[in-house]
Amino acid sequence: KTSFIPFDTFKNCLGKDLESNNFIKYLISIFGKDNTKKLIEHYYISTSKLWSGATVFWQIDIEKTIRTGKIMLYNPITGKRDKTKNNWVHSTLKLPNFNLKQCFFGEHLLIDKSKVVAIVESDKTATIMSYYVPKYIWLSSSGKEGLNADKFKALQGRTVILFPDLTKADAKINCFNLWGKKANEFKSIAHITVSEYLEKIASDAEKAQGLDIADYFIKYNCQ
């Protein structure tokens, strides 16, 4: 049986200590305060005290129940993630016998049936791309290996575009190839295509950096 975070726990985190949140500081530096406020409200981004400046990306399913929250730490200037700082809300709360079943980050937005769904690897990227291309519902798989049948159940009958990150030459897993296989695996659930946008326009240097679509939009200030 899937476990959930108590709604009051989630609610009590909202709107607190946002001025100390490194990821929010980074968003403000790009988009300004008003646009950042909209992004915070859109995805219910909040702050964790686990590390100074840490961010919570809540996984809220289409039923509006709280699966968990992913806690990460970003550099407020570069927006780069500290890969040594990762944790889960349910772990920090020490909830007994917690059975985590992840959903897409942003899944609560699927209540809007009118939009095409775009899926990226990271919660940060989904948040940023929802500003640049608001005609899509931007979800995150929370990792290149985060596409699975359980998550795709929420996408029944939807039109979906996958936006895999560029893959570094020395990487063990090629995200574009992997997500192509996943698109074929789940084609009976949704109408899925894999975007070749980055693969076609990225330079060798950009591929070597493993850029994602948000990196590209920020770098070239795409509108």
Side-chain angles (χ1 to χ4, degrees), residues 132 201 203 206 211 214-223:
Y132 283 116
I201 66 173
S203 65
E206 289 166 344
L211 297 185
D215 294 326
Y216 202 90
F217 270 60
I218 292 169
K219 183 176 181 179
Y220 295 104
N221 193 27
C222 299
Q223 296 292 339

Side-chain angles (χ1 to χ4, degrees), residues 103-121:
C103 66
F104 286 113
F105 169 73
E107 185 179 302
H108 63 281
L109 301 171
L110 292 175
I111 195 169
D112 182 349
K113 305 290 187 182
S114 65
K115 293 184 177 182
V116 169
V117 178
I119 302 177
V120 292
E121 285 187 41

Side-chain angles (χ1 to χ4, degrees), residues 59-122:
Q59 290 189 11
I60 308 168
D61 63 28
I62 199 166
E63 304 295 333
K64 299 294 181 73
T65 52
I66 318 301
R67 298 290 183 96
T68 190
K70 197 171 186 180
I71 305 173
M72 291 185 280
L73 185 65
Y74 289 86
N75 183 300
I77 298 173
T78 65
K80 298 298 182 183
R81 179 167 63 90
D82 182 342
K83 295 183 179 180
T84 68
K85 300 289 192 297
N86 293 285
N87 212 322
W88 299 98
V89 169
H90 65 271
S91 296
T92 61
L93 293 175
K94 295 181 170 59
L95 297 176
N97 304 314
F98 194 91
N99 183 30
L100 172 62
K101 185 178 285 186
Q102 292 190 59
C103 66
F104 286 113
F105 169 73
E107 185 179 302
H108 63 281
L109 301 171
L110 292 175
I111 195 169
D112 182 349
K113 305 290 187 182
S114 65
K115 293 184 177 182
V116 169
V117 178
I119 302 177
V120 292
E121 285 187 41
S122 83

Side-chain angles (χ1 to χ4, degrees), residues 10-19 24 40-41 44-47 58:
F10 159 73
K11 185 178 179 181
N12 288 338
C13 292
L14 300 179
K16 293 182 178 179
D17 303 316
L18 297 181
E19 67 282 351
I24 290 174
I40 292 168
E41 293 172 349
Y44 299 101
I45 295 169
S46 60
T47 301
W58 296 99

Side-chain angles (χ1 to χ4, degrees), residues 5 17 21 34 65 77 85 88 133 138 145 151 205:
I5 301 292
D17 303 316
N21 188 308
D34 290 344
T65 52
I77 298 173
K85 300 289 192 297
W88 299 98
V133 189
W138 289 90
E145 296 183 81
K151 289 180 181 177

